[in-house]
Amino acid sequence: MSTAKKEYKRVTVKSLVDMKKQGEKISMLTAYDYSMAKIVDAANVDVILVGDSASNVMAGHETTLPITLDQMIYHASSVIRAVNRALVVVDLPFGSYQSDPKEALRSAIRIMKESGAHAVKVEGGEEIKESVRRILNAGIPVMGHLGLTPQSIYKFGTYTVRAKESQEAKKLLDDAKMLEKLGCFGIVLEKIPAALTKKVSESITIPTIGIGGGRYADGQVLVIHDLLGMTHEFNPRFLRRYMHLFEDMSNAISQYVADVKSKDFPSEEEQY
Ligand code: KIV
C-alpha cells in the first residue's frame, strides 16, 4: 500500500473528511484580507477561516460581538479573491443566526452569494439546531464551533477553559454528535481539556479542529496575527508564536522614520 500523501489541488469539505480518515492532520488559519490570504494560501494551509476575530484584530473591538454581516462579507470577498487552493470558511457573526432559522439561512445565503465563500461556521449546539438544519438543507456546508464560543462571552464571564466539569463535557459530546448527524462537515473545539477533545474526535467521523483543544484534534487553527506575533499582549498557553512581528515591524518603521528625519531616505538611487 502506498504511503504517499495525497495532494489536494483544491481543498473541499470532502477532502477534510478524507484527511481525517487517512490520519492526515488538517491545518487551518484565519485571514481577513487579500494580501494575507494570498500568503496563507500559497503556504498550502488547508482551510482559511474568515473569523469574526476580525472584530478584535482588524477593528480593535474587545469582543467579537460588534462585527456585522456586511463587514464579514467585505472581509470574505477580499480573501476569496486571493485563494486558489484552500477551503474558505466564514463565520456567521453574532446576531445573524441565533434568533430565527429563516434569518440564519438568509445570512448564510448572503455570505455565499456576495463573497463567493465555500462554507459558513456557527457557534453552539442544541440551541441553534434548527438554524443549522435550515442552512444545511439549502446546500450550504456548515462547520460547528463548541467549547469556548466567544460570541457567548458575556454568558461565560471569562475566557477560561470550558467543559472541565462532567455535565458540560457530556453536553459538548452530545452537541458534537448532533452536529455530525445533522450533516456538518467539521467542528472547531476551542479551549477544552485534551482528553475531551480525544473523546469527541474518536466519537465522530467528521474532523475536529482544535484551538487550545490539545493534540488529539484532527486539525489545528490559530489566529494569524497571534501566530505571527503581531498581537504581542495575548499570551495564552495554547499559542505557539512563529514570529515576533510586532517588534520586527516596529523596528523597521522606526528605522524608516529615522531615515526620513535624517534625510537619508530617499537616496540618489531612489529618486528619478
Ligand atoms: O473567529 C475566529 O478566529 C475563530 C477561531 C478562534 C476558531 O472562530
Side-chain angles (χ1 to χ4, degrees), residues 56-57 223-235 239 241 245-246:
N56 310 110
V57 295
V223 169
I224 183 97
H225 290 64
D226 298 337
L227 173 146
L228 295 177
M230 294 169 88
T231 48
H232 68 152
E233 281 160 357
F234 181 59
N235 286 305
L239 174 60
R241 283 195 209 291
L245 276 192
F246 188 94

Side-chain angles (χ1 to χ4, degrees), residues 26-32 36 40 45 47-51 53 57 188-191 209-214 219-229 231 234 236-243:
I26 297 163
S27 59
M28 175 159 149
L29 265 184
T30 65
Y32 319 96
M36 194 70 94
V40 173
V45 167
V47 184
I48 295 182
L49 173 66
V50 184
S53 49
V57 295
V188 167
L189 297 177
E190 181 162 353
K191 240 178 162 182
I209 311 287
I211 174 161
Q220 298 293 329
V221 58
L222 285 175
V223 169
I224 183 97
H225 290 64
D226 298 337
L227 173 146
L228 295 177
T231 48
F234 181 59
R237 173 174 170 162
F238 68 76
L239 174 60
R240 185 179 292 185
R241 283 195 209 291
Y242 289 82
M243 295 187 85

Side-chain angles (χ1 to χ4, degrees), residues 5-6 11 34 45 71 78 89 92 100 117 119 130 133 154-155 171 181 184 197 230 237 247 249 269:
K5 208 175 103 186
K6 187 173 169 194
V11 180
Y34 176 84
V45 167
Q71 288 165 343
S78 309
V89 181
L92 279 180
D100 158 30
E130 289 316 313
R133 194 199 306 277
Y154 290 116
K155 184 174 99 184
K171 177 175 177 338
K181 203 162 165 214
C184 290
T197 298
M230 294 169 88
R237 173 174 170 162
E247 288 79 9
M249 289 172 80
E269 294 75 42

